PDB file of all heavy atoms in Angstrom:
ATOM      1  N   MET A  10      43.431 -47.823 -20.125  1.00 73.00           N
ATOM      2  CA  MET A  10      43.634 -46.688 -19.232  1.00 73.00           C
ATOM      3  C   MET A  10      43.752 -45.410 -20.052  1.00 73.00           C
ATOM      4  O   MET A  10      44.266 -45.419 -21.160  1.00 73.00           O
ATOM      5  CB  MET A  10      44.914 -46.898 -18.406  1.00 73.00           C
ATOM      6  CG  MET A  10      44.846 -48.108 -17.497  1.00 73.00           C
ATOM      7  SD  MET A  10      46.420 -48.504 -16.712  1.00 73.00           S
ATOM      8  CE  MET A  10      46.552 -47.198 -15.522  1.00 73.00           C
ATOM      9  N   LEU A  17      50.024 -41.523 -14.234  1.00 79.00           N
ATOM     10  CA  LEU A  17      50.051 -41.746 -12.789  1.00 79.00           C
ATOM     11  C   LEU A  17      50.699 -43.082 -12.460  1.00 79.00           C
ATOM     12  O   LEU A  17      51.530 -43.173 -11.543  1.00 79.00           O
ATOM     13  CB  LEU A  17      48.632 -41.684 -12.224  1.00 79.00           C
ATOM     14  CG  LEU A  17      48.510 -41.934 -10.723  1.00 79.00           C
ATOM     15  CD1 LEU A  17      49.251 -40.856  -9.937  1.00 79.00           C
ATOM     16  CD2 LEU A  17      47.046 -41.985 -10.320  1.00 79.00           C
ATOM     17  N   PHE A  18      50.353 -44.117 -13.193  1.00 79.00           N
ATOM     18  CA  PHE A  18      50.944 -45.429 -12.959  1.00 79.00           C
ATOM     19  C   PHE A  18      52.465 -45.384 -13.132  1.00 79.00           C
ATOM     20  O   PHE A  18      53.219 -45.881 -12.293  1.00 79.00           O
ATOM     21  CB  PHE A  18      50.336 -46.463 -13.909  1.00 79.00           C
ATOM     22  CG  PHE A  18      50.991 -47.810 -13.814  1.00 79.00           C
ATOM     23  CD1 PHE A  18      50.675 -48.680 -12.788  1.00 79.00           C
ATOM     24  CD2 PHE A  18      51.932 -48.207 -14.758  1.00 79.00           C
ATOM     25  CE1 PHE A  18      51.282 -49.919 -12.690  1.00 79.00           C
ATOM     26  CE2 PHE A  18      52.548 -49.442 -14.665  1.00 79.00           C
ATOM     27  CZ  PHE A  18      52.227 -50.297 -13.628  1.00 79.00           C
ATOM     28  N   GLN A  21      54.163 -43.689 -10.288  1.00 80.00           N
ATOM     29  CA  GLN A  21      54.219 -44.533  -9.105  1.00 80.00           C
ATOM     30  C   GLN A  21      55.335 -45.571  -9.217  1.00 80.00           C
ATOM     31  O   GLN A  21      56.062 -45.815  -8.253  1.00 80.00           O
ATOM     32  CB  GLN A  21      52.871 -45.218  -8.878  1.00 80.00           C
ATOM     33  CG  GLN A  21      51.787 -44.256  -8.445  1.00 80.00           C
ATOM     34  CD  GLN A  21      50.417 -44.894  -8.392  1.00 80.00           C
ATOM     35  OE1 GLN A  21      50.175 -45.946  -8.978  1.00 80.00           O
ATOM     36  NE2 GLN A  21      49.501 -44.246  -7.694  1.00 80.00           N
ATOM     37  N   MET A  36      54.866 -53.349  -5.964  1.00 71.00           N
ATOM     38  CA  MET A  36      53.629 -53.607  -6.688  1.00 71.00           C
ATOM     39  C   MET A  36      52.592 -54.269  -5.785  1.00 71.00           C
ATOM     40  O   MET A  36      51.402 -54.054  -5.942  1.00 71.00           O
ATOM     41  CB  MET A  36      53.881 -54.462  -7.933  1.00 71.00           C
ATOM     42  CG  MET A  36      54.657 -53.743  -9.022  1.00 71.00           C
ATOM     43  SD  MET A  36      53.923 -52.179  -9.543  1.00 71.00           S
ATOM     44  CE  MET A  36      52.531 -52.771 -10.459  1.00 71.00           C
ATOM     45  N   ARG A  37      53.059 -55.060  -4.822  1.00 69.00           N
ATOM     46  CA  ARG A  37      52.107 -55.637  -3.859  1.00 69.00           C
ATOM     47  C   ARG A  37      51.469 -54.520  -3.041  1.00 69.00           C
ATOM     48  O   ARG A  37      50.293 -54.592  -2.716  1.00 69.00           O
ATOM     49  CB  ARG A  37      52.796 -56.647  -2.943  1.00 69.00           C
ATOM     50  CG  ARG A  37      53.014 -57.982  -3.633  1.00 69.00           C
ATOM     51  CD  ARG A  37      53.599 -59.015  -2.694  1.00 69.00           C
ATOM     52  NE  ARG A  37      52.737 -59.377  -1.588  1.00 69.00           N
ATOM     53  CZ  ARG A  37      51.802 -60.319  -1.651  1.00 69.00           C
ATOM     54  NH1 ARG A  37      51.615 -60.977  -2.761  1.00 69.00           N
ATOM     55  NH2 ARG A  37      51.082 -60.611  -0.593  1.00 69.00           N
ATOM     56  N   SER A  38      52.229 -53.472  -2.732  1.00 62.00           N
ATOM     57  CA  SER A  38      51.653 -52.360  -1.975  1.00 62.00           C
ATOM     58  C   SER A  38      50.668 -51.560  -2.821  1.00 62.00           C
ATOM     59  O   SER A  38      49.785 -50.894  -2.303  1.00 62.00           O
ATOM     60  CB  SER A  38      52.752 -51.451  -1.427  1.00 62.00           C
ATOM     61  OG  SER A  38      53.393 -50.768  -2.488  1.00 62.00           O
ATOM     62  N   LEU A  39      50.814 -51.638  -4.141  1.00 63.00           N
ATOM     63  CA  LEU A  39      49.875 -50.971  -5.042  1.00 63.00           C
ATOM     64  C   LEU A  39      48.787 -51.926  -5.535  1.00 63.00           C
ATOM     65  O   LEU A  39      48.053 -51.611  -6.461  1.00 63.00           O
ATOM     66  CB  LEU A  39      50.626 -50.402  -6.256  1.00 63.00           C
ATOM     67  CG  LEU A  39      51.626 -49.289  -5.982  1.00 63.00           C
ATOM     68  CD1 LEU A  39      52.378 -48.937  -7.251  1.00 63.00           C
ATOM     69  CD2 LEU A  39      50.940 -48.076  -5.410  1.00 63.00           C
ATOM     70  N   ALA A  40      48.691 -53.093  -4.907  1.00 60.00           N
ATOM     71  CA  ALA A  40      47.786 -54.140  -5.399  1.00 60.00           C
ATOM     72  C   ALA A  40      46.321 -53.695  -5.426  1.00 60.00           C
ATOM     73  O   ALA A  40      45.524 -54.277  -6.145  1.00 60.00           O
ATOM     74  CB  ALA A  40      47.925 -55.397  -4.556  1.00 60.00           C
ATOM     75  N   ASP A  41      45.978 -52.686  -4.644  1.00 44.00           N
ATOM     76  CA  ASP A  41      44.590 -52.207  -4.685  1.00 44.00           C
ATOM     77  C   ASP A  41      44.244 -51.703  -6.082  1.00 44.00           C
ATOM     78  O   ASP A  41      43.106 -51.827  -6.533  1.00 44.00           O
ATOM     79  CB  ASP A  41      44.375 -51.070  -3.688  1.00 44.00           C
ATOM     80  CG  ASP A  41      44.522 -51.545  -2.258  1.00 44.00           C
ATOM     81  OD1 ASP A  41      44.362 -52.759  -2.019  1.00 44.00           O
ATOM     82  OD2 ASP A  41      44.789 -50.694  -1.389  1.00 44.00           O
ATOM     83  N   ASN A  42      45.241 -51.130  -6.756  1.00 46.00           N
ATOM     84  CA  ASN A  42      44.998 -50.551  -8.075  1.00 46.00           C
ATOM     85  C   ASN A  42      45.468 -51.447  -9.218  1.00 46.00           C
ATOM     86  O   ASN A  42      44.865 -51.463 -10.276  1.00 46.00           O
ATOM     87  CB  ASN A  42      45.701 -49.199  -8.211  1.00 46.00           C
ATOM     88  CG  ASN A  42      45.143 -48.191  -7.239  1.00 46.00           C
ATOM     89  OD1 ASN A  42      43.966 -48.189  -6.958  1.00 46.00           O
ATOM     90  ND2 ASN A  42      46.000 -47.347  -6.704  1.00 46.00           N
ATOM     91  N   TYR A  43      46.550 -52.160  -9.001  1.00 47.00           N
ATOM     92  CA  TYR A  43      47.153 -52.942 -10.085  1.00 47.00           C
ATOM     93  C   TYR A  43      47.402 -54.349  -9.563  1.00 47.00           C
ATOM     94  O   TYR A  43      48.278 -54.551  -8.745  1.00 47.00           O
ATOM     95  CB  TYR A  43      48.475 -52.313 -10.535  1.00 47.00           C
ATOM     96  CG  TYR A  43      48.372 -50.829 -10.726  1.00 47.00           C
ATOM     97  CD1 TYR A  43      48.899 -49.950  -9.791  1.00 47.00           C
ATOM     98  CD2 TYR A  43      47.734 -50.314 -11.839  1.00 47.00           C
ATOM     99  CE1 TYR A  43      48.774 -48.583  -9.969  1.00 47.00           C
ATOM    100  CE2 TYR A  43      47.611 -48.957 -12.021  1.00 47.00           C
ATOM    101  CZ  TYR A  43      48.138 -48.094 -11.078  1.00 47.00           C
ATOM    102  OH  TYR A  43      48.016 -46.756 -11.248  1.00 47.00           O
ATOM    103  N   GLN A  44      46.656 -55.326 -10.062  1.00 49.00           N
ATOM    104  CA  GLN A  44      46.747 -56.676  -9.508  1.00 49.00           C
ATOM    105  C   GLN A  44      47.345 -57.685 -10.472  1.00 49.00           C
ATOM    106  O   GLN A  44      47.180 -58.869 -10.303  1.00 49.00           O
ATOM    107  CB  GLN A  44      45.354 -57.140  -9.087  1.00 49.00           C
ATOM    108  CG  GLN A  44      44.772 -56.274  -8.001  1.00 49.00           C
ATOM    109  CD  GLN A  44      43.415 -56.767  -7.555  1.00 49.00           C
ATOM    110  OE1 GLN A  44      42.957 -57.810  -7.982  1.00 49.00           O
ATOM    111  NE2 GLN A  44      42.797 -56.025  -6.671  1.00 49.00           N
ATOM    112  N   SER A  45      48.061 -57.259 -11.482  1.00 48.00           N
ATOM    113  CA  SER A  45      48.499 -58.228 -12.487  1.00 48.00           C
ATOM    114  C   SER A  45      50.012 -58.476 -12.498  1.00 48.00           C
ATOM    115  O   SER A  45      50.497 -59.137 -13.389  1.00 48.00           O
ATOM    116  CB  SER A  45      48.063 -57.749 -13.871  1.00 48.00           C
ATOM    117  OG  SER A  45      48.653 -56.502 -14.150  1.00 48.00           O
ATOM    118  N   LEU A  61      44.809 -53.229 -20.062  1.00 73.00           N
ATOM    119  CA  LEU A  61      44.749 -51.882 -19.506  1.00 73.00           C
ATOM    120  C   LEU A  61      45.775 -50.933 -20.119  1.00 73.00           C
ATOM    121  O   LEU A  61      45.533 -49.737 -20.217  1.00 73.00           O
ATOM    122  CB  LEU A  61      44.991 -51.919 -17.987  1.00 73.00           C
ATOM    123  CG  LEU A  61      43.896 -52.548 -17.143  1.00 73.00           C
ATOM    124  CD1 LEU A  61      44.342 -52.661 -15.700  1.00 73.00           C
ATOM    125  CD2 LEU A  61      42.625 -51.739 -17.241  1.00 73.00           C
ATOM    126  N   PHE A  62      46.904 -51.457 -20.511  1.00 78.00           N
ATOM    127  CA  PHE A  62      48.006 -50.603 -20.944  1.00 78.00           C
ATOM    128  C   PHE A  62      48.152 -50.604 -22.461  1.00 78.00           C
ATOM    129  O   PHE A  62      48.069 -51.652 -23.095  1.00 78.00           O
ATOM    130  CB  PHE A  62      49.320 -51.082 -20.314  1.00 78.00           C
ATOM    131  CG  PHE A  62      49.288 -51.050 -18.818  1.00 78.00           C
ATOM    132  CD1 PHE A  62      48.985 -52.194 -18.099  1.00 78.00           C
ATOM    133  CD2 PHE A  62      49.533 -49.872 -18.132  1.00 78.00           C
ATOM    134  CE1 PHE A  62      48.936 -52.164 -16.719  1.00 78.00           C
ATOM    135  CE2 PHE A  62      49.493 -49.838 -16.758  1.00 78.00           C
ATOM    136  CZ  PHE A  62      49.188 -50.985 -16.037  1.00 78.00           C
TER     137      PHE A  62
END
Side-chain angles (χ1 to χ4, degrees):
M10 297 171 73
L17 179 63
F18 174 79
Q21 290 173 342
M36 291 305 287
R37 282 184 64 86
S38 69
L39 295 174
D41 294 338
N42 296 325
Y43 314 104
Q44 298 182 6
S45 61
L61 291 173
F62 300 96

